[in-house]
Amino acid sequence: MGPRVNTGEEHGGHESQDGVLRSGRSGDSPERKRSPPGGWPTPRSLYLHVPFCRHRCGYCNFSVLAGRDDLQDRFLDAIESEVRGVRARTGSESPLLLDTLYLGGGTPTQLTDARLQRLMRILRENVTLSPGAEFTCEANPEDVDVTVLSRLKEAGVNRISLGVQSFHDSKLQTLQRSHSRDHAIGAIELAAKWIGNVTIDLIFAVPGETLADWRQDLECAVSLPIRHVSTYSLTYEKGTQFWSRRKRGGLTPVDEAVDIRMYRASRQVLGDACFDHYEISSFAMPGYRSQHNSVYWNGYGWYALGPGAARFVEGRRHVNHRSPTTYIKRMLETGDATAEHESISLEQHAREIAAFGIRQIDGIDLAEVDRRVGYEFSRTIESVLESCEQSKWLCRNGSHVKLTSRGLLFADSVESMILQ
Ligand code: SF4
């Protein structure tokens, strides 16, 4: 959809985000082999990556299959096999009990109607949603119609994430999106009627964009019936068309100072419209924070299915093959599409909770992190915290730590210092 951070899919950009929460530490401390007091939590969240898209947008580095809808049936066979394997590994006959379920991509709504129904049938047979569970599905504005929305609603989807990106036609063209401003507005209004809880992604700092353009995007967004917005500065990931074009001088990035002013404008315009800025890139009306992303930010463990998907279960992280065709082949031939896996040491786990948790505007309580891992981890990062405090990136109140307004602009640096 847009650049993301933390969706459980391994991609290098946004709302996940990248996405995959990985520190890369090998964990050679004495805490290496220990598990948290009470053991690793049983995941109650699942991310499912649907890789199909009409075409690949120039800035996208996600695991995507463009123009290969002929593979949809085999993909669903693979997903069915994978989710059954996950269930079997829990050792229980029961479906997986979930508090959050997230269908991302790619574009889940690129599945044909019959295949979307089959996907929902596979989920019905293998997962049970707890009362009040959050069930999100991503969609592109051009796919949103009554048929799709009614399918999503009858399957229990109660949150829809639209890859709007902008309300300016020229900016959408630069981003190589196939929808228009009118499509986006129509999709939001229709989705709000059917699903109620609508979140949108918006991208800023697109070549040629001015601060005034971005403010108009934000003002248009808050005039519409949305409950949540994720905003991302355009990134040029290696391997994408935008990366090559920029290298050749064919795309000129927005000046960094303007990029920062755009980020501040997001906070101001969305804040004035009662959207709470609760994570670096995320803004929500009261009661509409993303429950699913909160699981990533707080390191609670999650299942993940599909190409590039990364799961964190029982203190181990498994990442599936990024290539959708390799994923399908491996899954159907061997029942396992894992490309990499690693055990997470207790110290690594603590560092990840602290590093990703601090992305939340309310900050984190390090005493709580210590309690979760069962030892005084916070002492390990004392020098990092002191250095970030001196740079005025962090402020502390007892064991509570949060980013300052200035620190929000250096969150990636704080994150990597804590992870090291
Ligand atoms: S719609 Fe574009 S940005 Fe989104 S996943 Fe597909 S190719 Fe990537």
Side-chain angles (χ1 to χ4, degrees):
M1 308 301 303
R4 285 177 293 184
V5 182
N6 305 348
T7 60
E9 187 231 351
E10 182 166 45
H11 44 60
H14 125 140
E15 186 178 346
S16 103
Q17 98 335 337
D18 149 6
V20 176
L21 306 175
R22 312 175 60 187
S23 69
R25 284 179 71 86
S26 60
D28 46 10
S29 76
E31 310 305 334
R32 182 173 184 190
K33 294 205 167 94
R34 292 176 46 195
S35 54
W40 297 98
T42 301
R44 303 261 301 197
S45 293
L46 186 146
Y47 173 77
L48 193 159
H49 186 78
V50 180
F52 302 100
C53 283
R54 266 171 220 207
H55 71 280
R56 182 181 281 274
C57 306
Y59 60 92
C60 178
N61 75 337
F62 300 163
S63 171
V64 161
L65 267 177
R68 290 303 312 270
D69 290 354
D70 56 300
L71 290 175
Q72 289 188 357
D73 286 324
R74 282 170 57 78
F75 166 74
L76 291 174
D77 293 343
I79 287 291
E80 188 159 22
S81 166
E82 190 174 19
V83 73
R84 284 183 178 162
V86 171
R87 267 183 75 183
R89 284 193 294 276
T90 65
S92 158
E93 296 286 298
S94 313
L96 304 170
L97 179 61
L98 302 177
D99 298 327
T100 72
L101 172 57
Y102 195 106
L103 307 185
T107 314
T109 50
Q110 180 71 17
L111 293 172
T112 61
D113 184 42
R115 283 146 179 161
L116 188 58
Q117 288 188 69
R118 182 178 166 207
L119 175 62
M120 296 307 184
R121 215 166 33 243
I122 292 169
L123 289 171
R124 246 191 335 271
E125 286 166 9
N126 291 285
V127 310
T128 300
L129 294 177
S130 63
E134 178 187 272
F135 183 1
T136 305
C137 182
E138 292 184 348
N140 273 338
E142 65 267 39
D143 298 331
V144 170
D145 60 22
V146 168
T147 307
V148 166
L149 291 170
S150 60
R151 290 286 178 239
L152 298 181
K153 192 172 171 66
E154 74 195 14
V157 170
N158 52 23
R159 183 172 185 266
I160 186 164
S161 174
L162 298 175
V164 168
Q165 317 310 353
S166 176
F167 296 100
H168 287 284
D169 285 335
S170 58
K171 184 171 155 188
L172 288 167
Q173 277 163 19
T174 304
L175 289 169
Q176 304 178 348
R177 303 295 305 213
S178 43
H179 62 272
S180 64
R181 167 193 167 87
D182 291 348
H183 270 130
I185 293 174
I188 290 170
E189 286 171 344
L190 196 60
K193 272 191 204 139
W194 279 82
I195 308 290
N197 183 359
V198 179
T199 174
I200 64 170
D201 285 352
L202 293 175
I203 297 182
F204 61 92
V206 171
E209 184 179 17
T210 64
L211 180 59
D213 293 336
W214 174 236
R215 292 187 80 92
Q216 280 171 11
D217 266 347
L218 293 165
E219 275 152 16
C220 183
V222 300
S223 72
L224 293 165
I226 54 172
R227 298 283 175 265
H228 186 281
V229 190
S230 299
T231 65
Y232 305 101
S233 173
L234 180 67
T235 52
Y236 299 79
E237 304 290 342
K238 196 165 182 188
T240 63
Q241 190 203 98
F242 273 29
W243 187 84
S244 314
R245 284 173 61 194
R246 177 187 177 177
K247 210 166 164 226
R248 291 196 305 266
L251 278 180
T252 309
V254 164
D255 186 78
E256 199 181 331
V258 177
D259 190 324
I260 291 172
R261 284 208 286 278
M262 288 176 164
Y263 183 64
R264 292 197 170 124
S266 313
R267 299 190 74 200
Q268 186 242 310
V269 176
L270 295 169
D272 287 351
C274 291
F275 283 82
D276 180 25
H277 186 200
Y278 72 102
E279 186 268 347
I280 304 279
S281 310
S282 311
F283 301 81
M285 301 280 272
Y288 289 92
R289 294 182 178 198
S290 166
Q291 294 172 38
H292 186 80
N293 282 343
S294 158
V295 169
Y296 300 136
W297 299 325
N298 292 293
Y300 290 133
W302 57 90
Y303 302 112
L305 311 174
R311 62 182 181 271
F312 178 43
V313 182
E314 284 295 321
R316 290 182 67 75
R317 179 154 30 240
H318 288 75
V319 186
N320 282 341
H321 273 280
R322 255 184 83 80
S323 153
T325 47
T326 307
Y327 164 81
I328 292 170
K329 192 165 181 290
R330 293 275 171 92
M331 208 63 232
L332 295 182
E333 287 176 1
T334 68
D336 183 9
T338 304
E340 312 165 26
H341 58 89
E342 62 174 341
S343 289
I344 306 299
S345 69
L346 202 52
E347 182 185 334
Q348 191 177 348
H349 182 49
R351 284 182 184 271
E352 291 182 2
I353 297 172
F356 304 125
I358 212 157
R359 298 180 60 86
Q360 299 164 106
I361 305 303
D362 293 343
I364 46 166
D365 183 358
L366 287 170
E368 168 65 10
V369 180
D370 289 352
R371 192 195 59 71
R372 280 179 62 188
V373 294
Y375 77 102
E376 258 192 282
F377 154 77
S378 50
R379 290 171 60 172
T380 320
I381 57 167
E382 182 56 33
S383 60
V384 168
L385 298 177
E386 274 173 17
S387 152
C388 290
E389 238 182 334
Q390 276 163 18
S391 303
K392 304 216 178 318
W393 292 349
L394 285 182
C395 54
R396 291 202 265 185
N397 182 4
S399 61
H400 194 266
V401 186
K402 61 185 274 192
L403 293 171
T404 59
S405 297
R406 176 177 156 80
L408 290 175
L409 305 173
F410 295 93
D412 288 349
S413 304
V414 175
E415 207 173 291
S416 59
M417 286 167 76
I418 294 175
L419 289 174
Q420 273 170 16

